[in-house]
Amino acid sequence: MDIEAFRALPGPAGRAVLAAAAEADLSENALLSTAARLRERYPADLVAAALTQARLRVRARAKFGPDADLMYFTPDGLEQATRARVAAHRAHRFAAYMDACGGVVLEMGCGIGADLIARARLGCRGEGVERDALTAAVARANVEALGLAGLASVREGDATREDPAGYAAVFADPGRRTGRGRVFDPRAYEPPLGTVMDLAARAPAGCVKVAPGIPHDAIPNGVEAEWISVGGDVKEAALWLGGLAGTAGRRATVIRSDDPDAPAATLTPEPGLDKPDVRPWGRYLYEPDGAVIRAHLVAEVAAQVGGGLADPRIAYVTADAAVATPFAAAYEIEDVLPFSVKRLRGELRRRDVGILTIKKRGSAVDVDRLRRDLGFTSRARRGGSEATVVLTRVGRAPVALLARPLPAGE
């Protein structure tokens, strides 16, 4: 994207072509003809920039909701940006801290400004620093478009040259993508995680966003690690330090959906809790949320529901009672079968199952192939009941559980 063309987008001509692009057909098949029609009325470089933004805004609605239609993006910036619901959750922690101490938050590598905006909406003053000129311009445009210029600012610069000591707190989001795709080794972040943590530690408090798959042995001592899931998918992790770090060491935060009003539930280690017991299958199966598993808090879920593990190496909890918990999906176990395609197929036919969900953990079975072998394609059979099959193992023995999902809260 040409930076000069982008800078024209917030102006009168840019807003006009953006409005026209938003109403046009943006599908791949129609894109060339849409661009040709718009170029009859507007400069070609402005049309190209507007069409790029219009298509990115459509994609961004999943992360930013209605704000997406006011915001600006780059493809990489949108990919790495914190979704609005997660940024809001994190901003509340900053806001509580900043209310107590005042001052300004320095954001090192602010990207398109998602976290900067979330904190500003809660009254936290912030300064964002971004090395890429276009991304910095996009972040600045977003702050202005959402009416937050009085609380947040963005400047172009190298965050590693900043002095965090003069700020009340630091937030950092090191780059985790290259031209070859995502980066999983924290030492390969841009800047490397060690460099970012050293910088953040120079401020009284800080938070560093990291990939959710970060190994526990890569987490520095003395920080609190938080894994966050939204709608059942683990989205990211964050390392809290200094005045923003709690005493838990690690936590799992579960957010039911991207709805701004969706509650967040947080689980932390229970002191003195031993590993879960290993026990036979009970009446209920609990599938811990991915954030719980990443935070190594399965034992806490087992304790909540009064259950244990059927296999000590697999994060499925079984119990005799139905206990509502936001930290696990619950199922009523209707049958436990030694895994056999023939036997499972016969049981599903006997139950007249028309819609089948297959889940697995600790199983090497190819789910797509199993669906075909069981006589189910991607399309549901007409009529029939619904069933969930959970594939797992106990020791070396593969098993299939026929289960009924329990509604949340049941």
Side-chain angles (χ1 to χ4, degrees):
M1 191 187 312
D2 180 77
I3 190 169
E4 293 305 322
F6 171 78
R7 285 173 173 157
L9 285 178
R15 291 197 299 271
V17 70
L18 273 172
E23 296 177 355
D25 187 344
L26 300 174
S27 65
E28 289 290 342
N29 292 337
L31 196 58
L32 288 176
S33 58
T34 296
R37 286 196 301 271
L38 290 175
R39 284 197 296 267
E40 293 174 359
R41 300 162 54 194
Y42 304 101
D45 56 347
L46 193 57
V47 168
L51 287 175
T52 297
Q53 286 304 313
R55 286 162 64 86
L56 288 171
R57 283 176 171 182
V58 172
R59 287 172 48 195
R61 288 170 190 160
K63 278 191 173 184
F64 295 97
D67 281 346
D69 292 331
L70 301 173
M71 295 174 67
Y72 301 89
F73 304 95
T74 66
D76 288 346
L78 174 58
E79 180 71 24
Q80 186 162 325
T82 304
R83 60 199 315 110
R85 184 63 186 86
V86 175
H89 161 74
R90 192 158 45 223
H92 279 284
R93 191 162 177 173
F94 268 95
Y97 174 78
M98 300 302 288
D99 281 347
C101 69
V104 176
V105 178
L106 170 66
E107 182 161 344
M108 301 187 297
C110 67
I112 63 168
D115 283 275
L116 190 69
I117 288 165
R119 291 192 304 272
R121 282 179 159 163
L122 294 180
C124 295
R125 291 185 294 138
E127 295 179 12
V129 180
E130 173 55 50
R131 184 173 61 181
D132 180 72
L134 175 59
T135 305
V138 168
R140 195 175 299 114
N142 285 334
V143 167
E144 294 172 356
L146 296 174
L148 298 168
L151 283 165
S153 62
V154 178
R155 65 179 185 275
E156 186 182 341
D158 184 348
T160 63
R161 296 175 180 262
E162 295 292 320
D163 182 7
Y167 294 86
V170 164
F171 178 75
D173 183 3
R176 296 181 299 282
R177 293 188 70 86
T178 67
R180 292 174 293 180
R182 293 184 180 182
V183 171
F184 297 99
D185 184 350
R187 295 170 297 184
Y189 289 179
E190 183 55 44
L193 180 59
T195 300
V196 175
M197 294 298 293
D198 288 344
L199 284 166
R202 292 166 59 185
C207 177
V208 177
K209 178 179 169 182
V210 295
I214 184 171
H216 278 243
D217 59 10
I219 298 173
N221 293 328
V223 307
E224 181 181 81
E226 178 183 26
W227 285 264
I228 302 175
S229 70
V230 180
D233 293 327
V234 185
K235 297 300 182 183
E236 64 178 68
L239 306 180
W240 300 90
L241 60 160
L244 279 164
T247 58
R250 50 196 160 87
R251 65 177 61 223
T253 294
V254 174
I255 302 171
R256 289 287 178 86
S257 74
D258 277 313
D259 185 326
D261 298 321
T266 295
L267 184 67
T268 57
E270 185 177 327
L273 185 65
D274 293 328
K275 293 181 179 179
D277 293 334
V278 178
R279 52 154 293 170
W281 294 108
R283 183 177 177 183
Y284 296 95
L285 171 71
Y286 293 88
E287 181 184 27
D289 185 272
V292 170
I293 295 172
R294 293 286 177 90
H296 294 179
L297 294 172
V298 173
E300 280 68 16
V301 170
Q304 280 189 358
V305 302
L309 303 179
D311 183 284
R313 295 168 296 279
I314 299 175
Y316 275 144
V317 175
T318 186
D320 298 319
V323 179
T325 173
F327 302 111
Y331 301 83
E332 184 176 10
I333 299 174
E334 297 178 337
D335 208 347
V336 181
L337 307 173
F339 178 73
S340 160
V341 174
K342 181 178 180 180
R343 183 171 181 178
L344 187 55
R345 181 169 54 232
E347 184 63 24
L348 294 174
R349 286 177 177 173
R350 187 184 71 79
R351 293 169 178 250
D352 190 27
V353 172
I355 302 175
L356 179 65
T357 299
I358 302 176
K359 305 179 73 67
K360 74 169 188 173
R361 184 169 290 169
S363 170
V365 172
D366 182 318
V367 171
D368 291 335
R369 179 176 178 179
L370 178 62
R371 289 188 67 88
R372 294 193 298 269
D373 290 343
L374 293 174
F376 290 83
T377 63
S378 57
R379 299 178 63 182
R381 294 175 177 172
R382 291 185 178 181
S385 59
E386 296 186 27
T388 297
V389 170
V390 180
L391 305 175
T392 187
R393 59 180 170 80
V394 177
R396 295 184 176 180
V399 296
L401 282 65
L402 290 166
R404 177 181 70 87
L406 298 182
E410 183 175 328

